[in-house]
Amino acid sequence: MVQPHTMVQPVLEEKRLKAALLQFVFPFSLNEDCQDDLKQQLQKDDFAAFELGNLELETAFYGEGYQVSHLNLERYYLPFTNSVIFPHKDSKDVFLRYSKRLEMDCSLRMNQQHIPFRIHSVDVVLCPFDLGFITVRTEVRCDDLTYSQVLEFVNRFRILQNMKDQDEPVELVQNGNLYNEVEEFILDGLVPGMIAYLDKTDLEKTYFEKLPFFVDERMFVQGLVSFTDNCPIAPEDIYRASRVDGLDLQGEPYISSSNMDYIQRYLDEHIYDRWGPDTFYVIEENSFFCLTNQSKEVTTALGNHMYGAYYYGVLINLFYKVVLLKLSNRYSHVQLDQNQDEIDDLIRSITIFSARYYFLEVATQSQGKEIFLQLRKHLGSDELYAEVNETLADLYKYQENFTAKRSNYLLLILTIYSVVSGIYGMNQVIEDLKGPIDWGKMNDYSIFEYIALTVMVTGMGAAITLGVTTLRRLFKEIGKRK
């Protein structure tokens, strides 16, 4: 074991930046069958439906100097992926993106710090399985800010609900409006009307939560940080970006590890250094950063990638993770002995997700494939998918046992009726039921005639009940397929 005194400690060198482009992504769950109403609300709030064929949108949402080539974006992904993320028509089975250009100047106040930033645009992406994403596309003014201050801004802005101590308040100011929490700023200031459509089913079991979070109260952050030209990028800088380590309580640069060996082992697992030492990508469960020290032209090209192909890579992988978490959550709530319909729905949902959405490869280019696999690895989708597949096997086994047991009961009932009716025959009482029925004759029936009458009446009732139940299930299955 390495002794503490032999460990090499990280050395933090404060650095200046040319640009800091940040996209904050908040996954949410929608109320069932509310997408049509939500689309109308978004259009009412001046959100425009994103269409890959509309080339005017290439420069509409990303700030001055940046653009996303729709042609390259389509070529970047495989055709079956394009059909889901860039659909030609409105459907509940695809991603539907609605975007709104804002160009809104704001500031974040914390610990006597004042960080100005601009919100270029906001996206609302509606997805299958009643899921969605809100993306806030921001740029931090780097003229008078250090790398640590930008990271601290990211660390504070991604926290939707402020759970820190009372001596660390955060305030967001926009056009004279003051917000004390980021979720209030987003849902009241940027996407008004959205909160009415959020699914809050599980909030009844919480004490403090006000929003339906899947993991915690932090948004996923995707960022590009451009250092001044030729400024060396140290391992400490990359680690701090991944962990979003900004400032400590004294306002000094902060790093969440004191051991360079640990930092190096961590980076070996999380870094993508194909274009090092000038450009690095680092991926974590809650963050995806590109760090570069190259020219403004290269920085712009990298920013275009982060806004385009890599942004959709993040959305797809977050969709995988959130759907798998939602399916696991549904399984934990299924009462196996009481909710056969819910079991059938869950089996269908898992099967549809596996067949239609969960693909091993979605990108055409090698770097896209490698970064996509890194995202999926660190978001934990493969492990969640393996668990859901085990769940599916358990559900099929339970359904098979349930069906066999139900068939055995049905066979037993039909056998009893067949035996009894075969022994006594229906002719003992059938003549009395022709034409106008004389109910008084039943007073003179023997016990065997009463048995025959009971078998006939209950048998007919059972047959009608089974027929109606079968038809109901058949029509329900047809409706679900549609």
Side-chain angles (χ1 to χ4, degrees), residues 405-431:
K405 187 183 295 184
R406 185 173 59 183
S407 298
N408 289 337
Y409 283 138
L410 180 60
L411 182 61
L412 177 62
I413 292 171
L414 294 177
T415 302
I416 292 172
Y417 277 109
S418 298
V419 171
V420 174
S421 63
I423 292 174
Y424 289 104
M426 306 301 293
N427 56 348
Q428 294 193 47
V429 295
I430 196 66
E431 294 296 327

Side-chain angles (χ1 to χ4, degrees), residues 108-115 145 149 152 247 251-252:
L108 185 142
R109 298 174 182 172
M110 57 179 183
N111 294 348
Q112 300 180 345
Q113 299 259 1
H114 175 83
I115 299 180
L145 297 177
Q149 289 173 311
E152 185 65 15
L247 302 169
E252 297 297 325

